[in-house]
Amino acid sequence: MTTSRRTVITAAAAGLAASAATTGTAHAAGGGDSAGKGDAVKEHFGTLADGTRVDRWTIENGRTRLRVLSYGGIVQALEIPDRHGRRANVSLGFDDLDSYVADSPYFGALIGRYGNRIARGTFTLDGKKYQLPINDGPNSLHGGDKGFDKRVWSVEPFRKGADVGLTLRRVSPDGEMGYPGTLTVRVDYTLTAAGDFRIDYEATTDKATVVNLTNHTYYNLAGEGSGSVYDHRLEIAASRYTPVDKTLIPTGELARVAGTPFDFRRAKEIGRDIRESHQQVLYGQGIDHNFVLDKGITSRPEHFLTVTEPESGRVMRIATTEPGVQFYTGNFLTGTFAGTSGRVYRQGDAFALETQHFPDSPNQPSFPSTVLRPGQTYRSTTVHSFSTR
C-alpha cells in the first residue's frame, strides 16, 4: 500500500491483459441472456492488505454498461453512447485497487453513514453528544476516515422484468465511526431497459441515529480523461443554496442564487462564472455547495437537473427524492491522479452531483431532519437518464 502512485498506475496499465487472463471471471445468471446482455459478470479485482477479496461486477442494459466494485460500492466505469453511437466511460476512476485504497478522492464511491460534512465532527441526539472522526480540516466528511466508501459490501445480481442490477448490502455496527445504532443498509444499482442508471437506498436502525447516503461519481460527459468540463451546459431547478463558512460548513442561511455564480436556473456553461471574485467561490476554490432544490423532498424521484456536453451530444438528466444536491466542480483534482485512460486529472476535469439532505443537518435544526429511529425505514432514490442531441 506504500507503493507510489506512478508505479501503481504503470504496473496496472502494463498488466491489464495478464490480469484479465489470471484473475478469473464468473457469470451470474441474469435470466438466460448472453454475458453483457443481461448477465452480471464477476471478476476478481484485487485483494486488501487483510486478505479480503475485492470483486468487480459488470452489468449492461440497452447501450449502457456499468462496472461496480465490492470495495466501497464504487462505480468504476459508466459507459454510454454519444450522438454517433460510440460508447465511452463518463466516470472518473482507477484501474487498480491499490490506488482506490491509497488516496482516492471518493471516485465513484457509495457514501455513508453521512454524506457531506458535519461541523467539528460532533452532534447531539436525544440529549447525548456523539464524536465522529475529524478527517476534513476541523470537520467530519463523508462518514469519517473509514466510511462506507472504504468497506467491502456483499453484492448480488438481480433482474426485474427488463431491468438488471446489483444489490449491495452491509451491516454497520453500533458505534462504527462514532455513529449510534446498528445500521442495516441495502443499495440497489439498476440499469433500466431504457439505459437509465437508478440508485435506491434503504436503511434501518436499532437505535436513533443520523443517516444521509449518496454516491460520489465524478462525471465528464465528453469521456473520462478528456479534459475540462467547464463547457458542459448545466441547468438546476434550485432558487437557493446553502452558503458556507471557510471550512465549508453551512452558515444556516438559504441564500438566493439570483445574481451569483450559483444561478443555474437557466442552462449555462459550468465554467462561465466559476472564476468570479465571489467569497463563496473563493471558499470552495470553485463550486462545492449544496443546492436547495425547488421541488423539496418528494415520495418519487422528480427531475431537477439537466447537463449537456456539446461535442459528444451526451445529455444526462437527474431525478431524485432528495431535497438537495451537492454540486462539486472537481476543484481539488490537482494533477496527482491518473485514471483508467492513463491520463492525469486536473482541476475542473469532472463534476459530482451528490443528491442528499443538507450538510451538517444534525447541527442545523432549520434544515430537513436526517434522524432515523427504530421502526422507521430510510429510503432515497436517484435516477440518471441518458440521451443525445
Side-chain angles (χ1 to χ4, degrees):
M1 299 301 178
T2 58
T3 308
S4 72
R5 181 169 301 283
R6 179 172 294 180
T7 301
V8 167
I9 292 172
T10 302
L16 283 178
S19 174
T22 61
T23 56
T25 301
H27 298 275
D33 291 350
S34 60
K37 298 294 184 180
D39 287 356
V41 179
K42 176 184 176 183
E43 304 168 274
H44 180 213
F45 189 72
T47 304
L48 297 176
D50 65 1
T52 302
R53 172 187 169 112
V54 173
D55 294 317
R56 180 174 70 177
W57 291 80
T58 302
I59 57 175
E60 183 174 351
N61 211 355
R63 293 285 293 155
T64 305
R65 180 185 294 142
L66 177 69
R67 301 188 191 276
V68 174
L69 306 184
S70 58
Y71 178 79
I74 288 169
V75 173
Q76 191 218 13
L78 178 62
E79 301 173 18
I80 60 173
D82 65 8
R83 63 164 63 97
H84 303 292
R86 297 174 299 204
R87 192 159 54 183
N89 176 23
V90 298
S91 66
L92 273 57
F94 298 125
D95 263 328
D96 63 287
L97 180 60
D98 282 355
S99 293
Y100 283 108
V101 172
D103 193 22
S104 174
Y106 304 99
F107 283 147
L110 201 168
I111 301 297
R113 285 188 188 191
Y114 198 95
N116 222 302
R117 298 172 176 86
I118 293 181
R120 299 173 298 283
T122 64
F123 66 91
T124 299
L125 179 59
D126 295 339
K128 183 175 180 179
K129 184 176 181 180
Y130 294 93
Q131 180 64 57
L132 315 173
I134 303 299
N135 63 327
D136 184 62
N139 306 314
S140 186
L141 175 66
H142 291 333
D145 54 353
K146 195 173 181 183
F148 287 0
D149 60 294
K150 297 177 180 66
R151 309 286 182 171
V152 176
W153 294 68
S154 69
V155 183
E156 295 178 0
F158 68 84
R159 171 174 285 189
K160 295 180 180 178
D163 298 343
V164 297
L166 302 169
T167 294
L168 291 78
R169 299 180 191 271
R170 184 169 185 274
V171 177
S172 175
D174 184 19
E176 184 175 79
M177 293 289 99
Y179 288 89
T182 299
L183 193 73
T184 301
V185 184
R186 170 179 174 159
V187 179
D188 285 351
Y189 288 162
T190 304
L191 293 185
T192 71
D196 296 346
F197 174 34
R198 176 181 176 124
I199 309 177
D200 292 282
Y201 308 87
E202 184 176 291
T204 57
T205 184
D206 63 358
K207 185 188 296 184
T209 191
V210 295
V211 185
N212 191 29
L213 306 181
T214 192
N215 177 272
H216 207 304
T217 296
Y218 287 66
Y219 291 99
N220 184 324
L221 296 186
E224 176 272 336
S226 63
S228 174
V229 296
Y230 287 167
D231 64 343
H232 286 49
R233 290 182 62 82
L234 175 67
E235 182 178 359
I236 308 176
S239 301
R240 296 178 183 270
Y241 75 107
T242 52
V244 295
D245 64 19
K246 63 182 179 181
T247 72
L248 302 184
I249 292 294
T251 63
E253 180 186 5
L254 305 183
R256 294 189 179 278
V257 300
T260 77
F262 302 93
D263 192 350
F264 288 89
R265 291 173 297 172
R266 292 188 177 183
K268 69 177 182 180
E269 290 79 11
I270 287 175
R272 193 182 80 179
D273 301 320
I274 207 165
R275 303 206 182 276
E276 282 194 12
S277 181
H278 187 284
Q279 185 61 65
Q280 289 296 307
V281 174
L282 295 174
Y283 281 155
Q285 298 182 38
I287 297 176
D288 188 9
H289 291 73
N290 171 65
F291 285 67
V292 180
L293 304 183
D294 292 341
K295 72 175 193 62
I297 300 172
T298 49
S299 60
R300 294 184 178 183
E302 291 190 10
H303 170 258
F304 71 94
L305 180 148
T306 302
V307 58
T308 305
E309 200 284 309
E311 292 300 316
S312 68
R314 292 187 181 95
V315 179
M316 179 170 68
R317 292 166 55 90
I318 303 181
T320 190
T321 56
E322 291 295 289
V325 64
Q326 185 82 5
F327 175 39
Y328 169 58
T329 52
N331 314 324
F332 302 108
L333 298 176
T334 57
T336 57
F337 302 110
T340 52
S341 62
R343 295 174 179 167
V344 172
Y345 299 148
R346 300 192 180 277
Q347 186 180 54
D349 280 359
F351 57 88
L353 295 162
E354 305 153 66
T355 53
Q356 60 177 12
H357 272 52
F358 304 166
D360 199 37
S361 290
N363 296 309
Q364 306 265 2
S366 64
F367 288 178
S369 175
T370 55
V371 174
L372 180 69
R373 298 187 180 278
Q376 299 177 332
T377 300
Y378 170 97
R379 290 188 176 91
S380 173
T381 298
T382 295
V383 182
H384 308 77
S385 301
F386 302 103
S387 60
T388 57
R389 290 180 181 172

